[in-house]
């Protein structure tokens, strides 16, 4: 009989929330204390009794907050207030806070810390957590932090760091409990009672053989109601969702959502258990991917600190602004090509933004739906063709309905049936164009190996603006002049 476990036997503080986050209260206190921020950061006494009382209040609030709430506060503060609050936060939780903040804010916090502060911050972190921070830490700090760990932890950190971002191995957790299949459930329960606490999110125990090859899992809920004399091999589940460290982490997150998983084993090519992934990491992956898609659709290259220096923000935004400027110039030249038509029929100038605007809105609806479907793995080549047909059908119906509405309005406003018919045709054709491009842009981006959301909103607006102007003014020139 053999039972193996990779789980710390020392208790650590549970990460449950302590008090609700009142971010406006923290903002107000930080703003009041800003005049004495330099004194606070230099650990000098604040002589003003009112300000000193506010300082005591702010320290008390910060020390009661969960590390994730402290991270939320830091992300929402300008640099000077952020530096002061970071100085006042609980030093023993600095590592947890660094794990929770955005990459952009984390970089600024790490730059403000000296080597001793960084070493103290990462001292209590698990191997997978240290590996997550390692890329942003100075090499000397990582080296010295590893020297304080035992050989097993050093190997775990290096293993996690060896996998590229976006792979399961980069986010896997090494804290787990494993047992053998040839023991009774009562023996397992007695063994678990030896621990002061189990690893976070332990909903199952992993069953392995003498070579650590995964045999199955024993859900805690089954263990608690099983006959104490029953053998683990008769109670465990053998149909297990498992992952390789080279698997795509977004696909793993989708599997967690699909199968309602809390934890899942990570195995190597020989099916040897090497770690696990947990629901908290997968929630982070889903959130980060959603945020990245929103940023990419707006043409932002990366996540941005709200209070980043002006030049840093300019560098993050200029590429797609330049693209947008070029496309806007193309749209202006399209209009310029029909100056004669606009001079003769002034109503065209008032109506053409309507054609372009509704096309852009329809195209953004289509492209948002397609990008989301790609993110959750719902689209393949065949489905893309079917979706294109469906979106063209939707655009045709919408174009005819709303084109007719605007055609009637234009007829009544300008007493011209010709302008009304041109509006119907132009809006229908531009919506068809928007639907087609709304499907093709993300599909083409994915085939090119790029994020389907990257700049999609900018591109679809460019196409529907230029296309809408060309279609509307072209039809008006052909049939009204």
């Amino acid at each position: 009989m053999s039972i193996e476990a990779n789980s710390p036997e020392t208790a650590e503080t549970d990460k449950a929330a302590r008090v609700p986050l009142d971010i406006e209260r923290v903002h107000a206190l930080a703003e009041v204390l800003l005049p004495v921020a330099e004194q606070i950061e230099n650990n000098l006494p604040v002589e003003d009794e009112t300000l000193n009382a506010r300082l005591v209040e702010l320290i008390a609030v910060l020390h009661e907050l969960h590390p994730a709430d402290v991270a939320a506060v830091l992300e929402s503060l300008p640099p000077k207030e952020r530096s002061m609050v970071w100085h006042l936060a609980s030093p023993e939780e600095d590592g947890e806070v660094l794990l929770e903040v955005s990459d952009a804010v984390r970089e600024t916090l790490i730059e403000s810390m000296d080597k001793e502060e960084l070493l103290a911050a990462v001292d209590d972190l698990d191997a997978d957590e240290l590996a997550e921070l390692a890329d942003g830490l100075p090499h000397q700090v990582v080296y010295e932090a590893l020297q304080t760990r035992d050989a097993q932890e050093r190997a775990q950190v290096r293993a996690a760091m060896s996998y590229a971002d976006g792979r399961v191995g980069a986010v896997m957790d090494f804290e787990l409990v494993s047992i053998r299949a040839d023991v009774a459930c009562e023996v397992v329960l007695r063994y678990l009672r030896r621990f002061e606490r189990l690893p976070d999110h332990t909903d199952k125990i992993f069953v392995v053989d003498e070579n650590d090859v995964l045999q199955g899992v024993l859900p805690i809920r089954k263990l608690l109601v099983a006959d104490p004399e029953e053998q683990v091999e008769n109670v465990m589940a053998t149909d297990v969702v498992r992952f390789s460290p080279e698997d795509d982490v977004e696909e793993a997150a989708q599997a967690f959502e699909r199968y309602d998983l809390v934890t899942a084993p990570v195995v190597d090519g020989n099916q040897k258990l090497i770690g696990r992934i947990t629901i908290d990491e997968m929630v982070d992956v889903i959130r980060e991917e959603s945020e990245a898609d929103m940023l990419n659709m707006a043409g932002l290259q990366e996540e941005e600190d709200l209070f980043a220096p002006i030049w840093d923000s300019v560098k993050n935004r200029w590429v797609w602004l330049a693209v947008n400027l070029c496309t806007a110039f193309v749209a202006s030249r399209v209009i310029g090509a029909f100056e004669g038509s606009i001079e003769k029929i002034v109503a065209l100038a008032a109506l053409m933004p309507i054609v372009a605007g509704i096309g852009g809105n329809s195209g953004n609806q289509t492209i948002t739906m397609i990008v989301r479907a790609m993110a959750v793995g719902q689209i393949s080549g065949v489905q893309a063709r079917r979706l294109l047909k469906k979106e063209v059908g939707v655009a045709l119906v919408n174009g005819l309905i709303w084109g007719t509405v605007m055609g009637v309005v234009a007829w009544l406003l300008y007493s011209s049936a010709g302008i009304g018919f041109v509006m119907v045709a132009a809006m229908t054709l531009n919506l068809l164009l928007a639907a087609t491009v709304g499907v093709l842009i993300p599909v083409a981006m994915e085939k090119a190996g790029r994020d389907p959301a990257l700049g999609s909103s900018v591109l679809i607006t460019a196409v529907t603006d230029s296309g809408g102007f060309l279609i509307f003014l072209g039809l008006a020139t052909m049939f009204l002049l």
Side-chain angles (χ1 to χ4, degrees), residues 86 109-121 138 141:
W86 180 233
L109 297 178
I110 289 175
E111 286 176 355
S112 70
M113 301 171 72
D114 58 34
K115 185 174 74 172
E116 287 69 28
E117 289 174 324
L118 288 170
L119 286 171
V141 171

Side-chain angles (χ1 to χ4, degrees), residues 308-342:
I310 292 174
W311 186 243
D312 289 348
S313 295
V314 169
K315 289 189 291 185
N316 188 37
R317 306 180 192 187
W318 76 269
V319 173
W320 285 101
L321 287 178
V323 172
N324 197 21
L325 181 62
C326 293
T327 57
F329 179 77
V330 171
S332 73
R333 299 324 303 148
V334 170
I335 296 172
F338 294 94
E339 286 179 355
S341 301
I342 296 173

Side-chain angles (χ1 to χ4, degrees), residues 99-116:
L99 286 168
E100 296 289 346
V101 294
S102 64
D103 291 344
V105 173
R106 181 189 300 156
E107 184 178 340
T108 65
L109 297 178
I110 289 175
E111 286 176 355
S112 70
M113 301 171 72
D114 58 34
K115 185 174 74 172
E116 287 69 28

